[in-house]
Amino acid sequence: MLGKWKKSKPLAVLLLSLLLLFSLSTSALGFGSDAKGPDVFAVQGMLKSMGYFPGEISGYYGPETVQGVKAFQKAYGLPVTGAVDDKTLQAILWAYGNLKLPKAPAPKEEPAPAPAPNPPPSDNDSSLTPEEQQMVDLVNEARKQEGLQPLAVDPELTKTARLKSQDMVDKNYFSHDSPTYGSPFDMMKQFGISYSTAGENIACNQSVEAAHKALMESPGHRANILSKDFTHIGIGIVNGGSCGKMFTQQFIGK
């Protein structure tokens, strides 16, 4: 399961196209095992972007697609049938659409917000865990391959990324908007982090490698990772959530 925070007109067009596709071609009975065609292709693509489908996007509704749909249905409290009925389709469209959120504007002068909650003691240590360092290395290797400068680790941004991941685990949600901290931009402001531009990727997966691979295969998340606008990164990885681990990547440009 993934989430990203980046303005992207092509992605908005893609989502609209997918909505039109399903409204035109999906019957009330839905579809399931052994189905094939553009509807299956689109469902596989959305599930893969959210981390539920590890297979190849082929347009064929095989066993891997059935398992991916079941995992999604279980995570969203739907009947676990493995078939895409109307309710499952609407939930997939909603979850996928909720990942397409705007890029942060430059901060404006506003009244000072309420004092931010104090981070727990474990977050006072800004050094990266081995998994967090592994994800930073994978991100910077991807940037190197594109001829981009590596992102520097920002200790304060790492703290907020960890808090965001922990909050998603504790409050059992998956969204850029936190019931505790608000948007990523609200959160950064609360903790005194200044930036000229900012973004966020979130993911729910079982390992660093799987999360990074899924992020890089999703155009919007890849765009954040490879953005020339960003100069610093914070990584927060916390055990928990429906997929095993919760990942938050927060990016800023200074």
Side-chain angles (χ1 to χ4, degrees), residues 211-244:
H212 177 73
K213 184 174 185 291
L215 287 166
M216 289 298 291
E217 289 177 348
S218 172
H221 305 96
R222 179 185 176 92
N224 270 353
I225 291 171
L226 301 181
S227 174
K228 296 178 181 179
D229 296 332
F230 298 139
T231 57
H232 292 73
I233 189 172
I235 300 286
I237 303 175
V238 173
N239 291 327
S242 60
C243 309

Side-chain angles (χ1 to χ4, degrees), residues 1-32:
M1 185 183 293
L2 307 173
K4 65 92 180 172
W5 200 288
K6 180 84 171 179
K7 180 182 289 184
S8 178
K9 184 175 180 181
L11 286 176
V13 173
L14 172 60
L15 178 58
L16 178 60
S17 299
L18 290 172
L19 290 168
L20 291 173
L21 168 65
F22 281 111
S23 65
L24 290 172
S25 59
T26 303
S27 70
L29 297 177
F31 52 92

Side-chain angles (χ1 to χ4, degrees), residues 31 36 41 66 77 94 105 128 135 140 142 162-163 167 172 174 181 207 221 235 237 242 245 248:
F31 52 92
K36 63 178 65 176
F41 189 93
V66 172
W94 177 88
L128 297 177
M135 179 159 272
N140 280 334
R162 287 175 183 164
L163 286 172
D167 193 55
N172 192 30
F174 184 78
Y181 305 108
S207 70
H221 305 96
I235 300 286
I237 303 175
S242 60
K245 295 179 185 293
T248 299

Side-chain angles (χ1 to χ4, degrees), residues 69-83 85-92:
V69 171
K70 284 183 176 180
F72 178 87
Q73 289 170 329
K74 182 177 179 181
Y76 281 81
L78 298 166
V80 182
T81 64
D85 55 19
D86 285 347
K87 287 186 177 179
T88 298
L89 176 58
Q90 291 303 316
I92 291 173

Side-chain angles (χ1 to χ4, degrees), residues 124-248:
N124 289 336
D125 181 7
S126 60
S127 62
L128 297 177
T129 67
E131 286 187 321
E132 289 167 350
Q133 184 62 57
Q134 181 185 7
M135 179 159 272
V136 170
D137 292 342
L138 289 170
V139 166
N140 280 334
E141 178 60 30
R143 290 177 65 87
K144 180 180 178 181
Q145 292 176 7
E146 297 297 323
L148 299 170
Q149 291 295 314
L151 298 175
V153 175
D154 185 294
E156 297 305 312
L157 204 59
T158 295
K159 292 178 185 178
T160 58
R162 287 175 183 164
L163 286 172
K164 178 61 178 291
S165 290
Q166 188 65 59
D167 193 55
M168 288 192 289
V169 171
D170 292 343
K171 301 291 191 344
N172 192 30
Y173 72 95
F174 184 78
S175 173
H176 295 287
D177 287 309
S178 161
T180 307
Y181 305 108
S183 74
F185 316 126
D186 294 332
M187 188 179 190
M188 292 176 194
K189 190 171 184 179
Q190 287 174 25
F191 286 93
I193 296 171
S194 60
Y195 58 84
S196 60
T197 185
E200 179 181 86
N201 285 345
I202 55 176
C204 182
N205 218 308
Q206 295 181 350
S207 70
V208 173
E209 296 91 338
H212 177 73
K213 184 174 185 291
L215 287 166
M216 289 298 291
E217 289 177 348
S218 172
H221 305 96
R222 179 185 176 92
N224 270 353
I225 291 171
L226 301 181
S227 174
K228 296 178 181 179
D229 296 332
F230 298 139
T231 57
H232 292 73
I233 189 172
I235 300 286
I237 303 175
V238 173
N239 291 327
S242 60
C243 309
K245 295 179 185 293
M246 201 69 76
F247 300 81
T248 299

